[in-house]
Amino acid sequence: MENLLFYIIAYLTGGIPFGYLVLKYKYGIDVRKEGSGNIGATNVLRVLKEKKPEIAKKVALMALIFDALKGAIIILIAKFFGMSLETQYAIAVFAVIGHCFSPFLGFEGGKGVATTAGVMLVLLPIEAIIGLIVWGIMAKVTKISSLSSLTGIIIGIASSYIIHPNLFEGSHAPLVIIALLVIYKHIPNIVRLIQGKESKVA
């Protein structure tokens, strides 16, 4: 019963759309109807660069941090209460699901990248740092957010097979589920990447 409660809280917490809420109620902008329509930090940045460039980076960074924290904090609370490692990883999965399919936005949501980074920083900090470094390099070189995010997530999670090969008896199932969720949410971006039509972040 305690585990179920944590899973529900993780899903609901993960579903809080910080980027959408800030733009909607502070600036009167519905980020779902602007730019790519995504609620994540990249689209927040893209939209505000056009409408309020002086605050664009600040607000986008805030959205990124809060999307990461909502995944991290619930796992830290679970650790405090002595929940098992298996439960912590399940919480991570539910937090990412919540972000990707928010109950507060008609089960639409973001792409799960920041929330994934948050949960991995708590559970697998070395792998998370590897993923963030790869993301940073790719972002600098390509300036394509989706490609940078996908590469960072995939490399970060893949590195867990080397650094923690015996995690869940080698299956790494929770991480694979998270990776598949992020890839699924990026399918339109992947199609545009293949077509050479994916936009860059200036």
Side-chain angles (χ1 to χ4, degrees):
M1 186 63 183
E2 191 177 35
N3 286 10
L4 179 60
L5 179 62
F6 265 100
Y7 299 155
I8 293 171
I9 293 172
Y11 173 68
L12 295 176
T13 303
I16 300 172
F18 286 107
Y20 167 80
L21 291 173
V22 171
L23 264 66
K24 180 70 173 177
Y25 295 104
K26 188 170 177 62
Y27 303 107
I29 301 169
D30 188 342
V31 72
R32 297 175 301 173
K33 298 178 181 178
E34 306 282 349
S36 68
N38 190 260
I39 64 169
T42 299
N43 198 43
V44 169
L45 177 64
R46 183 181 291 116
V47 171
L48 286 179
K49 272 190 171 181
E50 294 181 1
K51 298 179 179 290
K52 296 180 180 291
E54 69 279 4
I55 60 166
K57 289 184 179 179
K58 177 182 174 181
V59 176
L61 179 61
M62 182 175 67
L64 182 71
I65 290 171
F66 276 100
D67 281 344
L69 283 175
K70 68 186 181 184
I73 287 173
I74 188 65
I75 297 175
L76 289 171
I77 293 171
K79 284 181 177 290
F80 177 80
F81 281 98
M83 306 302 288
S84 70
L85 189 62
E86 290 79 6
T87 299
Q88 293 175 38
Y89 273 88
I91 288 169
V93 172
F94 277 104
V96 175
I97 291 173
H99 180 80
C100 293
F101 306 99
S102 172
F104 309 114
L105 295 176
F107 301 101
E108 294 295 332
K111 296 181 178 176
V113 176
T115 308
T116 297
V119 299
M120 285 194 66
L121 278 167
V122 175
L123 294 170
L124 296 170
I126 297 174
E127 289 89 330
I129 291 169
I130 290 171
L132 288 169
I133 290 171
V134 171
W135 169 80
I137 293 171
M138 290 294 293
K140 185 74 173 177
V141 172
T142 69
K143 298 190 183 302
I144 300 176
S145 177
S146 59
L147 180 60
S148 307
S149 298
L150 285 167
T151 306
I153 292 288
I154 291 170
I155 296 293
I157 289 177
S159 68
S160 70
Y161 283 87
I162 299 171
I163 300 169
H164 293 94
N166 296 319
L167 189 67
F168 295 106
E169 299 181 352
S171 76
H172 295 64
L175 297 177
V176 172
I177 292 170
I178 289 173
L180 290 175
L181 279 168
V182 173
I183 292 169
Y184 170 76
K185 294 294 287 188
H186 277 85
I187 287 175
N189 305 86
I190 294 169
V191 172
R192 289 194 295 269
L193 283 167
I194 293 170
Q195 295 172 341
K197 297 179 180 178
E198 183 73 327
S199 61
K200 294 185 178 184
V201 179

